[in-house]
Amino acid sequence: MVQLSIIDKLKRSKILDLLQEGKRIDGRALDEIRPLSIDVGVVPNANGSARVRLGDTEVVSGVKVQPDRPFPDMGDKGIFMCTAEILPLAHPSAETGPPQPAVIELARVVDRGIRESGMVDLSQMVLEKDKSVIGVFADNVVTDHDGNLFDACSYSSVAAIMTSKIPKWEMKDDKPVMVEGEVSDAPITTIPVSITMGRIGEFIIVDPNLDEWECLDARITVTTNSDGNIVALQKGGSAGFTFDQLVKCSELSISAGSKIREIIKQATKSTL
Amino acid sequence: MGGREANVVLLDENGIRSDGRKVNETRKVTIKTGVLKNADGSAYIEFGGNKILAGVFGPRDVHPKHMSNPDTGILRVRYHMEPFSVTERKKPAPSRREIEISKVIKEALEPAVMLEQFPRTAVDVFLEVLQADGGTRCAALDAASVALADAGIPMRDLVCACASGKAADTLILDVNNEEDQAGQADMPIGYMPNLGQITLLQLDGVLTPDEFKKCIEIGIEGCKQVYEIQKNSLREKYFSSGDNN
């Protein structure tokens, strides 16, 4: 629910005025993503990690890989899980305590994009069918909030997962035991890229910053895979999209997504 | 969810689905308006095997007070599944999934409801899933919008919803539970038919850009069918001749 303050209303009319002239409040083109920088391996205690800056939004992700019991109906698959949290130092409005619906949505949308792409080949993460599997847990913390946390968390998780080293376990007496000194690369099948777009009036903008984010009519997050197919989608915000606007968003997500995918590949030295 | 091995035949050689439907056919939908005495507006929907009750209160005072907005009314939605509504007992407390769905449904309804006419108040929508059979968020949204209309809250349009998706390499309308579990894509759509606005859209699963476009078109057709059922249900309560409760 967007509750606009007086300042927000003034900001919104300024942003709209600029959009009429084809400009954005920070000088970007409508389909331009903020500068993206990705550092990997920033947390040595994690099996994989990344720090992403998308404009002034910053996210740190760590991947922990550990044996776990499989889900009852998924005994032949490893576990993948992605979480997200906005740290209290990320924004004056961020609070501690139980997660707000918006944060729950953030975590679930980031998780869904990666999960539905089948990025991690979970069938290779089984130690003993129905008994013991390997879990991949990607936890994201937002350290600086300047809008579009969906994409920043997604890029950061993906980079952290891609650079994860998977330890080796063997089953001994029905228990997984780690084999010291043996690690392998994570089994990656595709690189999912999430692109979030916002609608203000009739204008569709890519990667809204916080000023824009706070006065969006509606937003949509589209995740595409390396083949350029759409794997997940989430509309949000208190207004709708027309069919034509959605088609435009899907096209934008594919063109912008392929650029981001190259940046992720470079940062993770991936050959995928 | 997806990704599970298909033990069931989702589509046979004649293009008939596991529950006997054609690819572009919705499940049977029945909606009854005004089923609760205490709620200001209510509706009961059966969407295939889904059975969902919707109750609306308001516009009424906001508690806690700090949530109220002097410029407009607020909409609050709670989507909740009963512990007995699914195969394995579900814990009664709202799960993360339910919190997300509540938010998504709220944002699908907000464009339709003229909340600005009721500053400082709240309209509460309670959605209780008694039995779940795949596609509960769409069915719940369908019932919610009828219940809001039944409560006499001014609306720009009804919001109707139906999922489209992909199973056995074929685009299908109204994904059922089996098809959700073993199919390739599930895309719930919420739509305001008179305004041409899509207000709920999610996707799990893989679609090519072209399939994506077709899937929206198929879904919108399904939504329009549901829209007729919603209107009929309201008509039945308010315009049918003879006795009415």
Side-chain angles (χ1 to χ4, degrees):
Chain A
M1 166 187 35
V2 193
Q3 283 196 18
L4 295 182
S5 67
I6 299 287
I7 297 290
D8 289 337
K9 281 179 187 160
L10 292 171
K11 212 187 267 173
R12 183 188 150 93
S13 72
K14 176 73 184 164
I15 286 172
L16 252 176
D17 286 349
L18 283 169
L19 284 171
Q20 308 278 6
E21 303 165 25
K23 290 183 202 153
R24 285 170 76 172
I25 196 155
D26 58 2
R28 278 184 288 162
L30 272 63
D31 61 352
E32 189 180 339
I33 293 172
R34 290 172 288 177
L36 170 65
S37 69
I38 305 175
D39 298 310
V40 296
V42 294
V43 184
N45 275 344
N47 300 84
S49 60
R51 177 172 52 225
V52 159
R53 270 197 93 84
L54 179 61
D56 285 326
T57 290
E58 187 181 70
V59 176
V60 180
S61 306
V63 172
K64 284 295 213 182
V65 181
Q66 55 194 44
D68 207 323
R69 295 185 64 80
F71 290 116
D73 56 341
M74 300 267 223
D76 54 355
K77 294 254 167 75
I79 291 173
F80 170 77
M81 196 182 288
C82 194
T83 74
E85 190 180 352
I86 302 177
L87 298 180
L89 54 71
H91 194 262
S93 72
E95 284 173 26
T96 51
Q100 299 294 307
V103 180
I104 293 179
E105 183 188 27
L106 167 67
R108 289 177 59 86
V109 170
V110 175
D111 179 287
R112 193 175 303 144
I114 297 170
R115 182 187 302 277
E116 294 298 327
S117 73
M119 178 192 181
V120 184
D121 183 359
L122 295 175
S123 62
Q124 292 188 39
M125 311 289 265
V126 181
L127 297 170
E128 190 179 339
K129 191 171 181 286
D130 294 327
K131 273 219 176 112
S132 191
V133 298
I134 298 174
V136 177
F137 302 90
D139 297 299
N140 298 288
V141 291
V142 177
T143 54
D144 217 348
H145 181 357
D146 193 35
N148 193 8
L149 303 180
F150 288 97
D151 293 351
C153 287
S154 178
Y155 305 155
S156 189
S157 310
V158 166
I161 294 165
M162 286 176 72
T163 51
S164 286
K165 295 292 177 195
I166 313 287
K168 190 175 176 185
W169 283 276
E170 274 172 358
M171 295 300 283
K172 271 192 192 133
D173 304 326
D174 260 7
K175 279 200 182 111
V177 178
M178 199 197 289
V179 183
E180 286 297 328
E182 271 198 56
V183 291
S184 57
D185 290 330
I188 305 296
T189 64
T190 190
I191 306 175
V193 174
S194 128
I195 299 289
T196 297
M197 291 147 282
R199 178 170 76 71
I200 302 182
E202 294 309 304
F203 301 97
I204 305 280
I205 52 174
V206 178
D207 178 30
N209 67 23
L210 192 56
D211 287 333
E212 294 167 331
W213 193 266
E214 282 171 346
C215 52
L216 293 181
D217 293 316
R219 46 152 240 268
I220 188 160
T221 301
V222 183
T223 307
T224 54
N225 63 15
S226 301
D227 299 331
N229 289 331
I230 298 166
V231 298
L233 214 147
Q234 176 103 342
K235 178 248 150 193
S238 308
F241 287 93
T242 63
F243 175 75
D244 292 340
Q245 285 165 345
L246 287 176
V247 171
K248 185 179 176 197
C249 287
S250 71
E251 288 163 1
L252 278 170
S253 72
I254 291 164
S255 58
S258 61
K259 285 180 207 152
I260 297 289
R261 194 168 288 109
E262 287 311 311
I263 298 176
I264 294 177
K265 274 190 194 172
Q266 251 178 17
T268 57
K269 301 192 172 61
S270 162
T271 51
L272 207 70
Chain B
M1 299 192 184
R4 235 197 318 170
E5 247 71 3
N7 307 324
V8 284
V9 181
L10 291 180
L11 200 67
D12 73 9
E13 58 277 14
N14 301 319
I16 299 296
R17 291 152 73 175
S18 57
D19 55 7
R21 281 184 292 151
K22 300 193 200 91
V23 287
N24 59 353
E25 193 180 340
T26 66
R27 289 170 286 181
K28 186 169 186 255
V29 183
T30 51
I31 304 175
K32 196 157 168 30
T33 304
V35 290
L36 302 174
K37 177 169 167 274
N38 282 320
D40 296 319
S42 61
Y44 172 69
I45 187 168
E46 291 193 4
F47 200 122
N50 294 301
K51 296 176 199 292
I52 300 169
L53 255 180
V56 170
F57 291 88
R60 62 178 179 182
D61 278 354
V62 185
H63 295 287
K65 270 230 152 65
H66 66 82
M67 280 183 78
S68 76
N69 185 337
D71 294 333
T72 178
I74 60 169
L75 186 68
R76 296 188 291 199
V77 174
R78 185 180 104 130
Y79 161 100
H80 179 244
M81 290 175 97
E82 313 316 328
F84 48 79
S85 63
V86 277
T87 321
E88 294 247 337
R89 180 176 181 270
K90 187 209 145 280
K91 288 199 188 109
S95 64
R96 292 166 65 84
R97 173 182 170 277
E98 286 166 293
I99 293 170
E100 186 206 342
I101 292 179
S102 301
K103 181 172 186 288
V104 168
I105 292 179
K106 179 181 78 110
E107 291 175 347
L109 289 167
E110 271 173 339
V113 184
M114 298 179 173
L115 291 162
E116 65 282 358
Q117 296 189 6
F118 309 102
R120 294 177 203 276
T121 68
V123 174
D124 289 310
V125 179
F126 299 105
L127 302 164
E128 298 292 345
V129 179
L130 308 177
Q131 181 173 284
D133 182 35
T136 54
R137 77 194 66 188
C138 287
L141 177 53
D142 290 326
S145 122
V146 172
L148 280 163
D150 183 40
I153 292 166
M155 294 167 81
R156 296 179 178 84
D157 202 345
L158 283 176
V159 183
C160 43
C162 189
S164 54
K166 187 179 173 189
D169 294 322
T170 310
L171 298 184
I172 53 171
L173 178 62
D174 182 19
V175 180
N176 70 22
N177 200 24
E178 258 175 0
E179 291 162 342
D180 182 22
Q181 300 289 318
Q184 294 148 300
D186 177 22
M187 186 161 84
I189 297 176
Y191 184 63
M192 295 196 288
N194 297 296
L195 298 174
Q197 291 274 320
I198 292 153
T199 65
L200 182 147
L201 188 65
Q202 294 182 289
L203 166 69
D204 281 10
V206 182
L207 293 174
T208 66
D210 202 40
E211 285 171 338
F212 168 66
K213 269 187 240 171
K214 289 207 184 92
C215 236
I216 302 184
E217 286 168 340
I218 292 169
I220 287 178
E221 282 313 305
C223 289
K224 286 179 181 164
Q225 291 176 30
V226 174
Y227 178 58
E228 293 304 317
I229 299 167
Q230 289 176 309
K231 277 196 301 188
N232 279 335
S233 165
L234 284 162
R235 245 185 236 125
E236 227 165 79
K237 177 172 173 193
Y238 289 101
F239 296 107
S240 70
S241 52
D243 289 313
N244 244 320
N245 305 321

